[in-house]
Amino acid sequence: MLKIENNVLYIENKSTMDLVQEYGTPLYVYSEKKIIEKINEIKKAFTLKYPNTHAAYACKAFCTPYICQLLEREGFWLDVVSGGELYTALRSKFPRERIEFNGNNKSKEELVMALENNIGRIVVDNVAELYALNKLCKELEQKTEILFRITPGVMSDTHDFITTGKKDSKFGIPLDNDIILPAIQYAIQSEYLKFLGFHFHVGSQLQNIDAHLSALEVVLNLIQVTRERFNYEINDFNMGGGFGIRYTDEDFPLGLSQFVDPIMERLINFCNKNSLRIPHVSMEPGRFLVGEAGVQLYRVGNIKIIPGVRKYVSVDGGMTDNIRPGLYGAKYDAIVANKVSENRTELVSVCGKCCESTDILIKELKCPVIEAGDVLAVLSTGAYGYSMANNYNKLPIPAVVVVNDYDSKLIVKRQSYEQMSINEIVEF
Ligand code: LLP
């Protein structure tokens, strides 16, 4: 998706110099070809390879009408986690029956919105939600299909802040018998809820399959227990997302098949051995679909050299448009987009313009001699950049552009000062 021509970085066939000229900086840019490549990878490794499966895009990674519509066309489902994401999906005319709703504290209003719009399924995250949802369905005289998100009690090999499967987690129903079993029984017996099966999400940016496989054992056991205790066969299993991508040379992501095949093999063998029906299987990748397709373009501003210590290179965005380095210590690689072929002779720290010492986008970047006015392209920024953007220091949220071959199109306008302040009342 990236190439070099005359010392300049191109995204597909579009020069980054033209992009910044046309749309300004900071700028989120996506390569459509790359997103489609990832979509096809998921189809090849999962949905086309195994019957009775579907893939839902966890739209928290990048939630805009553009991506909803692209994935609609490609036959994907959508995983939403809030009324706002659901609103974006509905506004994008995403088919309701292909929407699933996750989240540990869905409000009554959000659940009503989901029910009234007849979305595909709700992933129930805790027992309180189970009862509340049942009550709501009764009030609205409506039925809905549900899965249970369970807390499988497994550790995953990723940053502690983005691991979600361990027992001490705010997500999911704990596996203690006196909690999970009555919940299963309640769901099976409910007139309003159709209990489909189990869901887990064990963490993000995973580069090995251990956590998924351990969590799978937990689900297999639950499937069996559900049949033995309640004479009920599970129809559905969702393995969550979390499939890692390449941010820097330090990442060695697995191919998707390396996640999917062992999971499917174990599941199919288990079901065959125990004369169980093989459930419908789904996944919920977010980052995998959009992460590597995104590039952020910044204009270099002030440069500060502390002799014998460091060279700070300030850019015109920062933790407001990419909070991941500050929040998780996430690492990124970057290219000086107008000096791509020049030797990387300098070691610099790239910092944003926010009034925070932690506003460092890249602690150590090897690059050519970098000067004010250069354009910096930070790579693999397509997931959780725009979607976690904020207005700290009253910095407007950048525009988002999609490149397709020689063309580019604006899919999110740059926020103006006026738009940023629209809800703020001026009178004292
Ligand atoms: N399904 C559920 C229930 C999730 O909670 C998540 C992510 C996903 C799917 C998608 O995970 P992915 O495939 O994108 O790793 N904001 C953080 C990560 C937190 C993600 C939380 N849930 C980041 O910037 O890395």
Side-chain angles (χ1 to χ4, degrees), residues 251-316:
D251 296 316
F252 298 97
L254 300 178
L256 196 64
S257 295
Q258 290 169 281
F259 276 103
V260 171
D261 289 345
I263 291 175
M264 293 306 290
E265 192 186 322
R266 175 72 185 125
L267 177 73
I268 292 166
N269 283 344
F270 181 88
C271 290
N272 288 342
K273 196 166 144 216
N274 295 287
S275 310
L276 286 157
R277 187 182 339 127
I278 297 164
H280 179 91
V281 183
S282 53
M283 60 162 62
E284 268 167 16
R287 177 189 332 259
F288 184 83
L289 273 160
V290 290
E292 291 175 5
V295 176
Q296 270 184 261
L297 301 176
Y298 299 97
R299 183 74 68 179
V300 173
N302 293 331
I303 298 205
K304 168 179 167 174
I305 298 171
I306 312 173
V309 180
R310 184 181 299 281
K311 176 170 173 178
Y312 279 104
V313 171
S314 297
V315 294
D316 56 357

Side-chain angles (χ1 to χ4, degrees), residues 58 60 79 102 149 162 199 201 203-205 241-243 284-287 324 328 384 388:
K60 73 198 77 174
D79 160 37
N102 259 292
R149 174 166 181 176
I162 54 178
H199 167 292
H201 174 75
S204 272
Q205 183 51 14
F243 315 117
E284 268 167 16
R287 177 189 332 259
R324 302 190 70 258
Y328 315 122
Y384 304 109
M388 291 175 93

Side-chain angles (χ1 to χ4, degrees), residues 210-376:
D210 302 351
H212 277 89
L213 284 181
S214 309
L216 177 63
E217 290 309 311
V218 170
V219 163
L220 296 178
N221 181 50
L222 278 175
I223 293 178
Q224 207 163 26
V225 166
T226 305
R227 184 174 65 176
E228 280 163 12
R229 294 248 183 163
F230 308 114
N231 192 25
Y232 190 85
E233 267 207 56
I234 292 305
N235 293 319
D236 237 282
F237 155 58
N238 184 322
M239 68 175 85
F243 315 117
I245 63 163
R246 189 178 174 287
Y247 286 96
T248 70
D249 290 346
E250 290 171 21
D251 296 316
F252 298 97
L254 300 178
L256 196 64
S257 295
Q258 290 169 281
F259 276 103
V260 171
D261 289 345
I263 291 175
M264 293 306 290
E265 192 186 322
R266 175 72 185 125
L267 177 73
I268 292 166
N269 283 344
F270 181 88
C271 290
N272 288 342
K273 196 166 144 216
N274 295 287
S275 310
L276 286 157
R277 187 182 339 127
I278 297 164
H280 179 91
V281 183
S282 53
M283 60 162 62
E284 268 167 16
R287 177 189 332 259
F288 184 83
L289 273 160
V290 290
E292 291 175 5
V295 176
Q296 270 184 261
L297 301 176
Y298 299 97
R299 183 74 68 179
V300 173
N302 293 331
I303 298 205
K304 168 179 167 174
I305 298 171
I306 312 173
V309 180
R310 184 181 299 281
K311 176 170 173 178
Y312 279 104
V313 171
S314 297
V315 294
D316 56 357
M319 64 192 298
T320 44
D321 50 68
N322 185 1
I323 202 171
R324 302 190 70 258
L327 197 56
Y328 315 122
K331 291 188 177 165
Y332 287 87
D333 198 3
I335 296 174
V336 181
N338 52 312
K339 296 180 174 171
V340 194
S341 311
E342 294 174 29
N343 287 336
R344 294 188 171 205
T345 52
E346 293 209 315
L347 193 63
V348 304
S349 287
V350 178
C351 58
K353 61 182 280 152
C354 296
C355 297
E356 287 289 328
S357 301
T358 52
D359 185 21
I360 306 286
L361 286 176
I362 302 178
K363 209 161 183 189
E364 295 197 322
L365 176 70
K366 278 194 124 183
C367 59
V369 179
I370 191 166
E371 299 154 294
D374 285 343
V375 172
L376 191 75

Side-chain angles (χ1 to χ4, degrees), residues 41-277:
E41 217 175 310
I42 292 179
K43 287 183 181 173
K44 192 165 166 228
F46 185 54
T47 46
L48 296 178
K49 182 163 180 184
Y50 296 99
N52 199 19
T53 54
H54 78 255
Y57 166 59
C59 75
K60 73 198 77 174
F62 173 58
C63 185
T64 55
Y66 161 81
I67 192 78
C68 293
Q69 286 174 357
L70 174 59
L71 288 162
E72 190 277 314
R73 184 191 82 184
E74 297 290 332
F76 272 57
W77 287 47
L78 212 58
D79 160 37
V80 301
V81 294
S82 68
E85 287 186 355
L86 178 54
Y87 174 85
T88 306
L90 295 172
R91 185 175 164 239
S92 314
K93 309 243 178 310
F94 199 89
R96 288 139 207 260
E97 66 283 3
R98 280 199 259 144
I99 300 176
E100 46 198 49
F101 196 175
N102 259 292
N104 67 301
N105 191 23
K106 305 174 192 79
S107 68
K108 185 175 176 184
E109 292 72 25
E110 287 173 325
L111 288 173
V112 169
M113 186 175 171
L115 290 172
E116 283 179 343
N117 282 291
N118 254 311
I119 68 161
R121 50 186 56 183
I122 295 175
V123 183
V124 171
D125 203 274
N126 51 63
V127 177
E129 184 185 325
L130 175 67
Y131 300 143
L133 181 63
N134 191 65
K135 188 162 168 261
L136 214 51
C137 286
K138 196 170 173 182
E139 278 167 28
L140 299 173
E141 293 178 0
Q142 201 181 333
K143 295 188 177 181
T144 190
E145 300 194 338
I146 62 165
L147 279 96
F148 278 1
R149 174 166 181 176
I150 53 142
T151 325
V154 299
M155 297 300 285
S156 57
D157 180 24
T158 188
H159 195 294
D160 203 37
F161 294 170
I162 54 178
T163 181
T164 50
K166 63 182 184 179
K167 183 168 169 73
D168 184 2
S169 165
K170 74 167 180 161
F171 299 108
I173 302 175
L175 294 175
D176 307 62
N177 277 344
D178 55 340
I179 300 177
I180 189 87
L181 295 179
I184 294 174
Q185 186 170 25
Y186 183 91
I188 292 172
Q189 288 174 351
S190 165
E191 258 180 75
Y192 299 97
L193 309 175
K194 179 161 171 23
F195 181 53
L196 298 182
F198 300 105
H199 167 292
F200 61 68
H201 174 75
V202 284
S204 272
Q205 183 51 14
L206 302 176
Q207 301 193 43
N208 71 57
I209 193 195
D210 302 351
H212 277 89
L213 284 181
S214 309
L216 177 63
E217 290 309 311
V218 170
V219 163
L220 296 178
N221 181 50
L222 278 175
I223 293 178
Q224 207 163 26
V225 166
T226 305
R227 184 174 65 176
E228 280 163 12
R229 294 248 183 163
F230 308 114
N231 192 25
Y232 190 85
E233 267 207 56
I234 292 305
N235 293 319
D236 237 282
F237 155 58
N238 184 322
M239 68 175 85
F243 315 117
I245 63 163
R246 189 178 174 287
Y247 286 96
T248 70
D249 290 346
E250 290 171 21
D251 296 316
F252 298 97
L254 300 178
L256 196 64
S257 295
Q258 290 169 281
F259 276 103
V260 171
D261 289 345
I263 291 175
M264 293 306 290
E265 192 186 322
R266 175 72 185 125
L267 177 73
I268 292 166
N269 283 344
F270 181 88
C271 290
N272 288 342
K273 196 166 144 216
N274 295 287
S275 310
L276 286 157
R277 187 182 339 127

